[in-house]
Amino acid sequence: MRLRALLDTEALGLRLLGGEDELDRSVRGVMTTDLRDPSRYLSGGELVLTGLAWRRDAADSEPFVRTLANAGVAGLAAGEAELGAVPDDLVEACLQHRLPLFAVDETVAFATITEHVVRQVSGERAGDLAAVVDRHRRLMTSGPAGGGPEVVLDLLTSDLDLHAWVLSPTGRQIAGAGEPLSPRVGAELAGRHLAATRTGRPGPHRAEVDGTAYSLFPIRNTGRGALPAPARDVRASVLSDWLLAVAADAGDWPEARLDLLQGVTQLIAVERDRRDAARAVRRRLAQEVLELVQTGAPPAEIAARLRVAAPVLLPGLGTAPHWQVVVARVEWSQEAADLPGGRAAQALLEEILVDPTVTGPDSADRIAVAHTGEEAIALVPLTAVPAAPEGADAPGGTGVPEGTDTPERQETALHADALLEAVRAPLAAGLADDGRLTLGVSAAVHSAEGLRGALEEARHARRVAAARPGPVCAAGHHELASHVLLLPFVPDDVRRAFTARLLDPLRDYDRRHRAELIETLEAFLDCDGSWTRCAARLHLHVNTLRYRVGRIEQLTGRDLSRLEDKLDFFLALRMS
């Protein structure tokens, strides 16, 4: 707005005392002060309101006005409540420094002027930004993207003083203006957004983290990567939609500003559609390799396809690297069992496999994920780092000077628990109490011949994860070499009958006599049948321990000196 417009508003009660030639100055904000030197709080373009409490005598006016003029303020408005009239020395100082001066009638509160200026300035900025956003939308929908989401976020910051970030469903920053969000805050905001979305409440959603209020706007995926219309249940879309986090409370925003932010989300949705289009090549490569593996194609044919995929996924390597297979599955409760889980699992797996500390929409360029039925399957090429030579000093470092060329290489393999560590909390909020994400990771394979085994290994690991409690679970190949692999696949009725036959007599006896036979059995097995170690652990005399073990054998008809009976008791305890 212009200074001249203030004189046209009678309710403000302003009288011009000097600076008529400067009334076309733009007002960018308003500040009230009675400091003698408020320069550190001024950025230029403000209308400064003062009650003149800084003025002790006539000599104070010129330094005060000079400070304002040097800071580039638009004008000065002095209240008449303190002195009864604006002193002549202030009028002369303003004329000297060409600073427009207004008198504020004592019946008008500074808050009234402040509210009017802020409302006018915000409205004009919103209108200007809306025009810019509209031009940018037309540009992006008709041609190449003009700089991506950062361009629009920069406009929000410069024109409306709004700091905003585009976040993935797990809270990873995809775009932002200014200081990046910390991964912890991003994950917290994503979890709050997913939880609020699951309730069915329309956005924006309000969240407060570390004393800062945020407004969370959903960015709907409506492009070629969106789910088909019959599947647009909130449970299917919530796990794949981006969100716009704005560091402000939108609860009292006018409709015009809310509409503007909704337009920004639509603009970013267009950018996401472009990203999904670019990812289609990698998805197709993964789908082709997967089909060859599942149909039992000759290893030579699979190897040839991998050689085609390697330059796309790892530019510059020239040859196919080693690979890991990751399998994911999203399952919903019985009432939503018909929701297609494969595509949701595909979007989630593409996100999970990205390092959460990496920002930008293109950080997943080296991840190929296909989906078949209800499963999502990722073909992950392993990058390699120089291996640490023997005796390297730095723990966890490579021990190799930068630029050293060494033939010794070690792979940076994926680990199941580490994959989910940073994303478990927000995803659990999106799955709520009626959804589950389970994930299995294979070992690394070094040839095409090993891919089929790696796929089966990842699927088995995912089944192990599915047998565990919790909405988000993962298991790795290293867990398939123990009884843990077998137990999840024991039918429930067999499991109950087996444990009841061995353990129910002991439980009944413990209830009647408080004998702690179950606790004794667990400790005895944990101590590998050592009488002395077990007695020490339970703080018992060895003869007391022998009595208890004898009672266990009598009640169950088993012999704890036999390996077979020890193994049966071990498995029964693990399945109970």
Side-chain angles (χ1 to χ4, degrees), residues 2-12 14 102 116:
R2 306 289 181 182
L3 279 176
R4 190 181 304 278
L6 296 173
L7 293 174
D8 297 334
T9 307
E10 292 184 3
L12 299 183
L14 296 178
F102 301 87
H116 175 81

Side-chain angles (χ1 to χ4, degrees), residues 318-392:
T319 59
H322 301 158
W323 306 87
Q324 273 182 286
V325 176
V326 182
V327 173
R329 191 180 182 101
V330 173
E331 296 173 298
W332 299 101
S333 61
Q334 192 62 37
E335 64 177 13
D338 57 340
L339 286 177
R343 194 171 285 184
Q346 181 184 41
L348 270 184
L349 191 50
E350 287 173 337
E351 176 60 30
I352 289 170
L353 291 174
V354 179
D355 183 342
T357 63
V358 176
T359 61
D362 299 322
S363 54
D365 279 352
R366 295 176 177 178
I367 296 167
V369 182
H371 75 86
T372 172
E374 297 303 300
E375 278 184 337
I377 301 170
L379 188 64
V380 183
L382 299 183
T383 56
V385 297
E390 234 176 283

Side-chain angles (χ1 to χ4, degrees), residues 192-201 205 218 220 234 237-238 241:
R192 302 276 190 92
H193 172 73
L194 293 175
T197 302
R198 283 301 311 270
T199 66
R201 300 200 312 267
H205 309 297
R220 305 297 185 193
V234 66
S237 62
V238 69
D241 286 344

Side-chain angles (χ1 to χ4, degrees), residues 18 57 59 69-70 82 112 117 172-174 188 197 210 242 247 254 258 283 347 379 412 435 449-450:
D57 54 45
N70 291 339
E82 183 74 18
T112 301
V117 172
R172 182 176 61 85
Q173 182 174 319
I174 294 168
E188 179 73 16
T197 302
D210 296 342
W242 288 357
L258 288 172
R283 288 175 172 172
L379 188 64
T412 55
E449 289 88 342

Side-chain angles (χ1 to χ4, degrees), residues 221-247:
N221 187 4
T222 57
R224 52 177 63 83
L227 292 168
R232 285 177 190 158
D233 186 292
V234 66
R235 283 168 288 200
S237 62
V238 69
L239 297 173
S240 58
D241 286 344
W242 288 357
L243 69 136
L244 178 68
V246 182

Side-chain angles (χ1 to χ4, degrees), residues 60-144:
D60 291 333
S61 291
E62 195 279 332
F64 178 80
V65 173
R66 183 173 68 249
T67 298
L68 300 186
N70 291 339
V73 303
L76 174 64
E80 295 181 322
E82 183 74 18
L83 302 178
V86 177
D88 292 339
D89 48 85
L90 182 59
V91 176
E92 293 173 3
C94 287
L95 290 173
Q96 177 185 344
H97 291 282
R98 302 179 63 83
L99 183 65
L101 175 63
F102 301 87
V104 182
D105 191 272
E106 61 180 344
T107 62
V108 177
F110 281 178
T112 301
I113 301 173
T114 300
E115 182 181 352
H116 175 81
V117 172
V118 169
R119 186 167 57 247
Q120 294 297 318
V121 170
S122 296
E124 290 178 7
R125 286 182 177 175
D128 291 344
L129 182 58
V132 174
V133 170
D134 184 61
R135 288 196 299 273
H136 197 70
R137 180 189 294 112
R138 291 198 301 270
L139 173 65
M140 294 183 70
T141 54
S142 62

Side-chain angles (χ1 to χ4, degrees), residues 231-571:
R232 285 177 190 158
D233 186 292
V234 66
R235 283 168 288 200
S237 62
V238 69
L239 297 173
S240 58
D241 286 344
W242 288 357
L243 69 136
L244 178 68
V246 182
D249 187 348
D252 57 355
W253 282 4
E255 285 298 323
R257 180 169 287 202
L258 288 172
D259 289 345
L260 173 63
L261 267 294
Q262 296 296 347
V264 170
T265 65
Q266 294 169 15
L267 193 61
I268 296 171
V270 174
E271 187 70 10
R272 178 173 186 177
D273 187 31
R274 294 181 184 279
R275 186 208 66 156
D276 286 340
R279 184 173 285 182
V281 174
R282 297 187 298 280
R283 288 175 172 172
R284 187 170 63 250
L285 285 171
Q287 196 74 42
E288 291 174 355
V289 173
L290 177 62
E291 290 174 0
L292 291 174
V293 170
Q294 294 192 125
T295 57
E301 187 176 351
I302 299 175
R305 180 57 58 187
L306 288 175
R307 281 193 293 272
V308 172
V312 176
L313 299 178
L314 286 175
L317 283 188
T319 59
H322 301 158
W323 306 87
Q324 273 182 286
V325 176
V326 182
V327 173
R329 191 180 182 101
V330 173
E331 296 173 298
W332 299 101
S333 61
Q334 192 62 37
E335 64 177 13
D338 57 340
L339 286 177
R343 194 171 285 184
Q346 181 184 41
L348 270 184
L349 191 50
E350 287 173 337
E351 176 60 30
I352 289 170
L353 291 174
V354 179
D355 183 342
T357 63
V358 176
T359 61
D362 299 322
S363 54
D365 279 352
R366 295 176 177 178
I367 296 167
V369 182
H371 75 86
T372 172
E374 297 303 300
E375 278 184 337
I377 301 170
L379 188 64
V380 183
L382 299 183
T383 56
V385 297
E390 234 176 283
D393 294 329
T398 64
V400 179
E402 188 176 351
T404 300
D405 187 17
T406 172
E408 297 180 9
R409 311 285 283 178
Q410 61 183 10
E411 290 161 349
T412 55
L414 300 173
H415 296 277
D417 289 335
L419 280 179
L420 294 186
E421 183 177 353
V423 301
R424 193 185 305 272
L427 292 184
L431 292 161
D433 56 358
D434 60 351
R436 295 199 72 206
L437 168 69
T438 52
L439 184 146
V441 182
S442 78
V445 295
H446 313 305
S447 66
E449 289 88 342
L451 275 180
R452 185 164 189 174
L455 176 58
E456 291 306 313
E457 191 173 55
R459 282 174 167 162
H460 281 305
R462 193 207 62 79
R463 294 189 191 104
V464 170
R468 296 171 174 166
V472 182
C473 296
H477 59 90
H478 59 283
E479 300 182 60
L480 304 185
S482 72
H483 66 281
V484 177
L485 172 64
L486 302 177
L487 296 185
F489 308 108
V490 177
D492 288 343
D493 54 344
V494 175
R495 183 193 300 251
R496 286 192 293 268
F498 182 73
T499 57
R501 187 165 57 251
L502 281 174
L503 302 182
D504 278 2
L506 306 183
R507 293 183 178 125
D508 291 342
Y509 191 86
D510 281 347
R511 277 194 296 270
R512 294 196 307 271
H513 303 283
R514 297 182 181 179
E516 299 180 344
L517 295 185
I518 291 289
E519 180 185 354
T520 301
L521 176 61
E522 290 178 332
F524 187 71
L525 295 175
D526 285 345
C527 293
D528 298 326
S530 169
W531 296 98
T532 55
R533 281 195 290 126
C534 184
R537 175 184 291 191
L538 295 174
H539 306 289
L540 299 174
H541 192 277
V542 171
N543 288 341
T544 305
L545 176 62
R546 289 186 184 278
Y547 171 80
R548 288 189 183 181
V549 170
R551 178 64 68 186
I552 291 171
E553 292 175 336
Q554 180 186 15
L555 291 170
T556 61
R558 299 300 184 104
D559 183 354
L560 278 168
S561 66
R562 287 165 40 87
L563 176 62
E564 293 88 342
D565 289 344
K566 286 181 182 177
L567 180 59
D568 283 348
F569 277 121
F570 175 80
L571 293 174

